[in-house]
Amino acid sequence: MMTGLSNRLSRRRLFSLGGIAAGGGLLSACDGLARSDSLGGIIKSAEAATMRWQRAIGRDALAPEYTLADLSPDFKVNGTHEPVEAEYQGMKRGGFADWRLEVGGLVTNPMRLALPQLKALPQRTQITKHDCVEGWTAIGQWTGPQLGLILKAAGLKPNARYVVFRCADNYGGEASKGGAQSTSLYYESLDLIDAFHPQTILAHSMNGAPLSVGHGAPLRLRVERQLGYKQAKYVMGLDVVESLAGYGQGNGGYWEDRGYEWYAGI
Amino acid sequence: MATAADTIEAPPAPPPPAAQPYLFHRHALLVRVTHWTNALAIFFLLMTGLNIFNAHPSLYWGPYGASADAAHRWLEIGSKNVGGEARGFVRVGDVTVTTTGVLGLSTAPNGGPNPIAYPSWATFPSYRDLATARNFHFFFAWVLILNGLAYLGYSLVSGHLRRDLLPKPGELSPANIAHDIVKHAKLQFPKGEEAKRYHVLQKLAYGGVILVLIPLVILTGLGMSPANNAAWPWILDVFGSRPNARSLHWVAANLIGLFIIVHLLMVVLAGPINEIRSMITGKFRIDPEKA
């Protein structure tokens, strides 16, 4: 009796162990594909195809704009909630009076712009949707000067190809994330097509009020035809560059260095 | 160019006089190649899609939709503590179903509890990796679209779509549909000459996937793309919003998954060797009906 039962049990256990092993083998074979570098290159080719296609069908197209009635009642703060770096905290205490937007790199006229100077430029206000890579959507109103205006005033050199946005926050190293996962500050980059798009603005206000710290005070990027992680917060400076190689791991952004697409139009 | 041999319709050669089984050219080469390409693409699209869904396991209906918008959230897959015990659940509207073990809370490959919407065996990669899942998803989305265009172009020009897949007048009569349902329920599959063409439930299933669900899953996918929303705002207008497009993308993907389950079941029940061979070599064995 006992032997029969334990035989049956062990046979059943053997069977389920076999099932787990077979399932595990399939899983690790699949995961091997996910980690394969040679396959990864082919898979990543889709990003360039998507960018070429979307530029072909709507290089200058405008993102849909909404009305005040459509605003999200509670626009989620995502990514960094509050930069902990001493430099940022000091500027925050002073109401960002000491903050300057540094515009440099491949420009004929490098600039350091204070908030009142940015607000004195022609302003654009737009109500747009914010599409997070995770899948959620929020609608907000943003006000600020067009990035194109600032780049024109700075004067691009002929070899300029990208604009890199240097940010104040160390997202991965944020205390709420356990700290020190990352030693690099957040950064992002655009090519000149998106940099000069009319809806690409450096927003200092959201929903009619100055940007909150959670949403990127004192200044954040809005590039309305790409996903949320391109909308860099806590922008400290713009570098106009020919290549993205000198920043982070060279992929053009904090999340791009962690496997996400540089072209985030989809 | 299309020849008679490419199509499902009977070639002029009469069946052998003695009631011998014989091989019939059932599927054109292009149909076979696009079928398997499509199968591979959809396999990866579904499994990467579940991984992507796991990044934000809620669906919304309305102009916006994020964690705070409870009033717009119509579906949620998660886990919660009930009396000190963790439980997986799926909530649709006001109805919550406990799904511990599969959805919301499952077992990780290392044996530990895994609070995740879709379990690791159903996703690609098997672990949380939104970046990799997205890269594969969009690669195979291109495969799905280009392969689908090749199939549709061929099927329109050759007449495959009109001749073999579109129901003929009368086929859609309730009596004929009921007859076909009864035949399927009794597992009586067509024999002889009758096995050379699709019957109404097959036409509706294949036509529904090819002409309704796959176009819907592509359009709702594009409806979630911010650059596509700028270039082709009409897609957003058709569905109403990005959260709506995302909801319908999930619904369409589920219906495609349901089709695959039924399709595979039917292949197994109808004779898997003959069915699978006909989609590889094109040849389908016809067993003449007994006189």
Side-chain angles (χ1 to χ4, degrees):
Chain A
M1 194 66 206
M2 278 302 282
T3 351
L5 186 66
S6 72
N7 267 347
R8 210 183 309 154
L9 269 179
S10 69
R11 205 176 303 144
R12 185 183 296 167
R13 201 199 297 156
L14 212 66
F15 192 71
S16 74
L17 278 178
I20 288 169
L26 199 65
L27 276 186
S28 52
C30 276
D31 291 343
L33 293 180
R35 295 192 183 102
S36 153
D37 283 341
S38 47
L39 186 63
I42 299 169
I43 295 297
K44 268 282 194 183
S45 66
E47 179 185 347
T50 302
M51 182 169 112
R52 272 192 222 111
W53 168 253
Q54 294 195 327
R55 291 276 166 86
I57 63 169
R59 195 188 124 130
D60 302 318
L62 293 178
E65 295 195 17
Y66 298 84
T67 68
L68 287 170
D70 302 317
L71 289 181
S72 285
D74 186 350
F75 196 115
K76 181 179 178 177
V77 169
N78 207 36
T80 299
H81 286 54
E82 169 146 14
V84 293
E85 287 67 29
E87 188 195 356
Y88 182 86
Q89 286 294 323
M91 287 189 293
K92 180 189 157 193
R93 274 192 297 276
F96 299 105
D98 298 335
W99 173 90
R100 295 289 181 278
L101 177 71
E102 296 173 0
V103 182
L106 299 174
V107 294
T108 51
N109 177 27
M111 299 186 288
R112 282 171 55 81
L113 299 168
L115 265 182
Q117 289 174 290
L118 288 168
K119 289 180 179 172
L121 290 167
Q123 303 288 298
R124 192 177 204 284
T125 294
Q126 58 203 28
I127 301 177
T128 51
K129 69 183 162 54
H130 178 97
D131 299 325
C132 180
V133 67
E134 293 172 350
W136 53 267
T137 302
I139 295 178
Q141 183 195 49
W142 309 96
T143 302
Q146 290 172 319
L147 175 61
L149 273 183
I150 296 166
L151 295 176
K152 269 182 215 151
L156 299 192
K157 292 187 175 170
N159 51 342
R161 285 196 58 204
Y162 302 99
V163 182
V164 174
F165 302 82
R166 289 183 283 106
C167 304
D169 60 316
N170 177 358
Y171 174 50
E174 195 181 30
S176 70
K177 307 275 172 205
Q181 283 102 326
S182 160
T183 50
S184 65
L185 295 177
Y186 202 92
Y187 74 106
E188 258 303 339
S189 60
L190 297 179
D191 66 7
L192 297 184
I193 291 175
D194 268 318
F196 280 93
H197 186 266
Q199 287 170 318
T200 300
I201 64 173
L202 291 172
H204 50 71
S205 295
M206 174 192 181
N207 295 349
L211 271 184
S212 65
V213 168
H215 286 294
L219 195 73
R220 82 176 297 175
L221 173 65
R222 291 301 309 174
V223 48
E224 303 294 357
R225 300 183 302 177
Q226 297 205 42
L227 297 174
Y229 64 84
K230 299 296 282 191
Q231 326 294 328
K233 304 196 283 191
Y234 319 108
V235 175
M236 297 288 117
L238 314 178
D239 293 350
V240 178
V241 297
E242 187 174 8
S243 153
L244 298 171
Y247 297 85
Q249 291 167 42
N251 299 304
Y254 178 90
W255 286 111
E256 289 85 334
D257 285 339
R258 286 153 180 82
Y260 288 83
E261 302 102 318
W262 175 79
Y263 177 72
I266 189 163
Chain B
M1 272 323 288
T3 65
D6 287 335
T7 69
I8 282 182
E9 277 190 341
Q20 292 289 320
Y22 65 100
L23 290 177
F24 161 68
H25 185 82
R26 191 188 209 193
H27 296 299
L29 178 63
L30 189 131
V31 170
R32 287 177 270 143
V33 170
T34 52
H35 170 271
W36 292 112
T37 307
N38 197 52
L40 178 76
I42 288 186
F43 173 80
F44 275 100
L45 284 163
L46 286 176
M47 292 188 75
T48 53
L50 297 184
N51 196 309
I52 294 168
F53 181 91
N54 279 348
H56 190 80
S58 292
L59 294 173
Y60 306 87
W61 197 263
Y64 44 76
S67 305
D69 304 313
H72 294 276
R73 190 185 307 129
W74 67 270
L75 180 138
E76 188 182 0
I77 303 179
S79 61
K80 59 184 171 190
N81 241 302
V82 183
E85 190 197 344
R87 276 193 199 163
F89 70 91
V90 175
R91 182 181 67 78
V92 180
D94 297 332
V95 181
T96 302
V97 183
T98 300
T99 52
T100 310
V102 185
L103 300 174
L105 181 68
S106 46
T107 307
N110 69 8
N114 196 13
I116 194 164
Y118 287 106
S120 67
W121 54 262
T123 66
F124 178 87
S126 67
Y127 43 88
R128 272 184 199 277
D129 187 347
L130 179 59
T132 303
R134 280 170 50 83
N135 289 331
F136 274 77
H137 200 76
F138 299 134
F139 177 84
F140 283 105
W142 273 107
V143 174
L144 178 82
I145 290 171
L146 297 176
N147 184 67
L149 288 174
Y151 171 85
L152 272 186
Y154 165 82
S155 300
L156 284 171
V157 171
S158 71
H160 170 55
L161 206 62
R162 175 178 45 77
R163 199 174 41 233
D164 303 323
L165 285 174
L166 285 189
K168 301 213 169 10
E171 268 190 306
L172 287 174
S173 72
N176 187 49
I177 292 176
H179 173 75
D180 207 16
I181 290 174
V182 170
K183 284 272 196 186
H184 273 83
K186 291 181 175 170
L187 301 182
Q188 291 172 351
F189 295 105
K191 291 260 190 292
E193 291 300 302
E194 280 297 290
K196 290 180 177 177
R197 64 178 190 88
Y198 291 144
H199 291 260
V200 66
L201 290 186
Q202 283 176 297
K203 288 185 178 183
L204 290 176
Y206 298 149
V209 168
I210 292 165
L211 298 176
V212 180
L213 289 182
I214 291 181
L216 180 65
V217 90
I218 292 170
L219 287 176
T220 50
L222 290 173
M224 286 185 267
S225 151
N228 196 279
N229 293 160
W232 289 352
W234 58 269
I235 295 180
L236 211 51
D237 294 340
V238 166
F239 300 116
S241 71
R242 183 183 190 240
N244 292 10
R246 185 165 173 266
S247 293
L248 293 171
H249 193 71
W250 182 88
V251 170
N254 273 276
L255 291 175
I256 290 172
L258 185 67
F259 164 80
I260 292 170
I261 292 170
V262 175
H263 179 54
L264 294 181
L265 194 68
M266 287 297 145
V267 165
V268 168
L269 292 174
I273 293 174
N274 200 23
E275 295 287 340
I276 293 171
R277 177 184 53 208
S278 76
M279 203 37 101
I280 295 173
T281 68
K283 303 283 187 227
F284 186 77
R285 195 189 72 224
I286 299 289
D287 294 316
E289 280 179 297
K290 300 211 165 51

